[in-house]
Amino acid sequence: MKSYYLIAAVAVVAFVALGASSFLNSMTPYVTTFAEARAAKQDKVQVPGDIVKGKTTYDKKAAALVFYIKDPDGEEMKVSYRGVRPGNFDQADRVVAIGRYGNGEFKAEQLLVKCPSKYQAER
Amino acid sequence: MHLGNVLLVVMLTVTLSAVAAYVAAGIGRREYIGAGRAAYIASTVLVSVISVYFMALILGNHFELEYIFNNSSKALSTYYKVSVFWAGQQGSFLFWALCAGLLGIFVMLKAREFEPWLMTFWSSMQGLFLILLLIDSPFKLTQAGMEIADGQGLRELLQNPWMAIHPPLVFIGYAAMSVPAAFAIAALIKGQFGSWCRTTLVWTVFGWITLGAGIIVGAYWAYEVLGWGGYWGWDPVENASLIPWLTGTALLHGMVAERYRGSFKRANIIMALITFLFVFYATFLTRSDALKDFSVHTFGDARIGGPLMFFMGLFLIVSAALSIWRWKAVQSKPSFTTIKSKDFAIFLAIITLTASAMFVFVGTSAPIIGKMASHVPVLNNIIPAQVKVDQAFYNRTNAPIILIVLTLMALAPIVAWRRENVQEDQQGWGVIIAALVVGLSILALRLNLMVFAVAIAIVALAGLITNAYHVARTCKFGLRLIGGFAAHVGMGILFLGVIFSAAGGKAKTIALVKGGKPVSSHGYTFTYNGTKDLASNTKGMMIRVDGNGRTVKAMPTMQITRDKEVMAKPHIVKSFGRDLYIAPKSIPGPEEKVLARGDSVQVQDFQLKFVDFTPHDHEHNHAGPEEIGAKLDAMIDGKKVSVAPVMEIHRGTMTKGAVDVPGMDAKIGVDRISVEERAVQVTVFPEKGKLQTATLRRDQKVAAGEYELTFNGWRLPDQGHAGGMQVIVSIGVNYRGKTVTVEPVYEPGQSADVHTVSKPIAIPGADATIKLDAVDFDSGRVLVTVTSNTETAVVDVSVKPFISLLWIGSILALLGAGIAMWRRNAESYEKPVPNAEGAKAKRRER
């Protein structure tokens, strides 16, 4: 009987190890300034920013979107994103870019466009 | 105070008196049980009355209530108006309270000796809902006393039949999944563990069905409507309902074992309590503002987080204390003695399903974990304070779990229940199984998940076959025996659908040009036939799809929602073997842009900058249309191109209030008057020749073509005019030596019949045209429209092989569980004779 509890214990330990390891591998820190984004050790970070109006370019043929975002310190950062520009990108003022910093720009794998939508109305 | 809130306060009082009476009955004053029952029934009647009243307010368009204003409108169909009840936060809490209230009546009637403590618990839960409803009331008025004509309408995403039934299913599921916990608490207090499982199992199955149906309906809705290409995105809202369902599945199997063998008693009590805790944790995550920075969804209300946390904390402390106190008193048979038995398979299933729930729990709570870790010395170096996990975490951790659970499922009909008195030495097997679990976990971390996908598909198929064979063999002994195994068949089919549909690969983005060459992808040919306006805010792309032996007219749509979001609804060409998923990404059409002087914006694939207005004549005083122009610079492939679209302003052929000039073959009308400048602008409409416009000042003669005009003055009509203000203008007209005086009438905002004509001009090098639609000199802004000459629609195309299996499998699993529920319901009325039952069960199974 006791040996079966040992199986359970081994299974639990294995699952905990699996969970912890996957967690550390796939966590995406949420940083607020670009200095933190550059310094991040992880493969991916997510960083929010206000879109700088008038500096966005989109190359339809190459499906390459390049734009600039500004952090609370007022620093501007170039963001490049390959893929079709998100449908509501034009209306957005703010965006959360998920990706990593390298070669003077932030390469976004995913863009979360923050819209004024709410689960319910603003109070 | 609104009548609804008064009723909520009354109900809270009644519910709290039910709690008091049941506590009294629980501590030995049995005479109070009648009072508790009466109070509980009264509170359920009240919640029903409040719900009917709330529904009547919704159907009656009472937009003075903030909730109804925010979620409904006059134009909404009655069907969706009904769903407004649970479309928002406050309404869904009321609906949950209604479900729990009604369910509580059935529970009360079957609770027997557990009734006092069980109903104390249940009434306390109702009390919590009432407190939440009073903090954030569905009956809250908008600005006091304001008459509101119409509401904002139901969010377009929720205007879907599946989304209308998804919340009720989930809330009924939550209420049903709370029943085992209520029984477990009562059993712990009473110290009686013999019969709670028999009464409760049917509720666990019912909760499994309703919550499971709610989850799958939500997934189907996401697939049909959201257009991101999948049915499951590991979003906190989805995870929140999955976690209690996973622990509920573990509980379900443990309870079946307890029914047969009298084993797993402790595990079942713990699982029932955990499932309940997860139901409320899910609510806490999605309805308070705990995750507000971490999801594209934006959540509810900070004020309800506190009461929910307090309730969860209290529940955790009470249930942990009770469990520790009664731990030794729970007389459970050993869960298993040999490894080659159903008992052991269930033991492993409980561990793995709980592990899966914990993984989803940890992943979803990552932001909270990060926040807590930031206060712990060592952890704060490892885990950032603000953190979330990506989808890879969920896939990686759940891959070995699914493999193990499906393997156990395949073995379920093969291995028998434990034989009594058999003490085999199975340590060898134990080592093998432990090694397998460890090995799979390491593989999940190191290997490409494709390997797991193949293994999962094989095991799912095996499980489908073994369980289907068992169903075929057993059904002749009675339909009610096959429920669980039929559900297993469904789960096998479901996972085949999951794996096959993922094999379709990633979506490919294709651009379709109207009149251009058809584009081929995934074995289909796509021809674009232009856009179609479906509604003022909705456009459809007309796409012809040839392939797979047929031609289909597809129409994915894009809608600008009331919240100014783009809702991209895919078109899915469905068949049993594969779904073709066409998700719209960008729709061709004119782009309207407002530009301030010096501004530049991205239009189509170039930058456009508004430089300035082109010189124009403010004091326009000559024949022909006025022209207003703007100069814009376009940056195309690094080159600057200037364009200057113009807008012509035409005076109409006739001005309202114009009068005949006697004997002069003309009419004259007043376009504008300026009181400060003591000037009027008039237009002469000769019967032949061009119309003439002129600005006249007091006692000055001004020529307008052949006519010489004098402005004599203005006056108001003698009698009040029913419509707007009118001014009568006196003008002397000299034409070919004759002079007459006429009195055209001016009405502000009515008289001038002015229209503008904007002619599109080509933008050199851009394959597009631009036109100037409106100008605003005061703020220095222009409105321009840029239209591409080639209409290009961009869509994401993907194929989902055999995704139909996912839906078919889930329906079968739910139907199987329905049969199991029928059986467990019948059994819940049986007299408790555990040994005879066990023997009977053993005969059935072999």
Side-chain angles (χ1 to χ4, degrees), chain B residues 606-650:
Chain B
F606 54 84
Q607 286 275 310
L608 192 65
K609 181 179 181 184
F610 172 39
V611 182
D612 202 353
F613 297 104
T614 49
H616 66 285
D617 187 359
H618 266 298
E619 292 293 319
H620 185 76
N621 223 343
H622 55 78
E626 229 175 295
E627 272 189 1
I628 294 174
K631 181 172 177 282
L632 298 107
D633 285 345
M635 285 298 287
I636 299 158
D637 297 332
K639 276 181 287 183
K640 193 164 86 178
V641 180
S642 285
V643 283
V646 295
M647 187 169 82
E648 289 178 359
I649 300 176
H650 289 259

Side-chain angles (χ1 to χ4, degrees), chain B residues 383-702:
Chain B
I383 303 173
Q386 286 199 299
V387 69
K388 73 167 200 177
V389 294
D390 56 18
Q391 294 197 12
F393 170 78
Y394 299 102
N395 293 334
R396 226 161 252 294
T397 50
N398 281 298
I401 301 264
I402 294 169
L403 196 56
I404 295 170
V405 169
L406 287 179
T407 308
L408 296 170
M409 196 187 88
L411 293 174
I414 298 170
V415 291
W417 291 100
R418 160 173 63 89
R419 278 158 292 159
E420 300 284 350
N421 308 321
V422 176
Q423 290 285 348
E424 300 165 46
D425 175 37
Q426 307 230 2
Q427 268 184 353
W429 278 103
V431 171
I432 291 172
I433 288 166
L436 268 177
V437 173
V438 173
L440 285 174
S441 298
I442 294 169
L443 287 180
L445 281 174
R446 292 271 159 257
L447 273 185
N448 189 323
L449 288 181
M450 272 305 288
V451 183
F452 271 91
V454 173
I456 287 169
I458 293 169
V459 179
L461 186 65
L464 160 61
I465 292 167
T466 57
N467 283 283
Y469 180 69
H470 186 83
V471 166
R473 232 179 33 166
T474 318
C475 65
K476 57 178 175 282
F477 301 114
L479 201 60
R480 61 154 71 177
L481 297 178
I482 65 165
F485 298 100
H488 282 173
V489 174
M491 293 309 284
I493 295 173
L494 186 154
F495 275 102
L496 282 177
V498 169
I499 299 296
F500 286 154
S501 66
K506 280 191 174 157
K508 196 177 157 198
T509 304
I510 57 172
L512 300 167
V513 180
K514 187 183 176 185
K517 266 192 292 183
V519 177
S520 291
S521 181
H522 295 86
Y524 295 87
T525 306
F526 300 87
T527 315
Y528 181 50
N529 294 320
T531 58
K532 189 175 182 182
D533 287 324
L534 301 171
S536 64
N537 60 352
T538 311
K539 281 183 173 168
M541 303 173 172
M542 295 186 287
I543 300 172
R544 203 184 77 176
V545 184
D546 298 283
N548 215 4
R550 58 182 178 150
T551 296
V552 182
K553 283 198 173 117
M555 173 114 59
T557 62
M558 281 184 120
Q559 182 176 5
I560 306 293
T561 66
R562 59 161 240 212
D563 298 327
K564 301 286 172 269
E565 283 179 65
V566 178
M567 178 173 144
K569 195 177 171 200
H571 186 104
I572 308 171
V573 184
K574 285 179 187 159
S575 63
F576 175 73
R578 60 181 353 195
D579 278 9
L580 174 66
Y581 197 91
I582 309 168
K585 282 282 156 184
S586 85
I587 203 152
E591 280 191 69
E592 285 190 347
K593 295 282 173 190
V594 175
L595 287 153
R597 215 185 311 238
D599 251 8
S600 70
V601 294
Q602 175 78 22
V603 187
Q604 312 250 333
D605 47 5
F606 54 84
Q607 286 275 310
L608 192 65
K609 181 179 181 184
F610 172 39
V611 182
D612 202 353
F613 297 104
T614 49
H616 66 285
D617 187 359
H618 266 298
E619 292 293 319
H620 185 76
N621 223 343
H622 55 78
E626 229 175 295
E627 272 189 1
I628 294 174
K631 181 172 177 282
L632 298 107
D633 285 345
M635 285 298 287
I636 299 158
D637 297 332
K639 276 181 287 183
K640 193 164 86 178
V641 180
S642 285
V643 283
V646 295
M647 187 169 82
E648 289 178 359
I649 300 176
H650 289 259
R651 310 265 159 230
T653 49
M654 188 56 68
T655 301
K656 197 180 167 195
V659 292
D660 275 324
V661 189
M664 293 182 188
D665 301 333
K667 283 173 188 271
I668 187 164
V670 182
D671 298 329
R672 234 177 283 166
I673 63 176
S674 166
V675 178
E676 296 90 55
E677 295 178 42
R678 300 181 165 272
V680 294
Q681 182 184 303
V682 297
T683 303
V684 182
F685 306 91
E687 279 181 10
K688 288 168 198 143
K690 271 187 171 175
L691 55 85
Q692 309 283 337
T693 299
T695 303
L696 312 178
R697 281 173 218 286
R698 197 68 179 266
D699 302 326
Q700 284 178 354
K701 282 196 172 66
V702 174

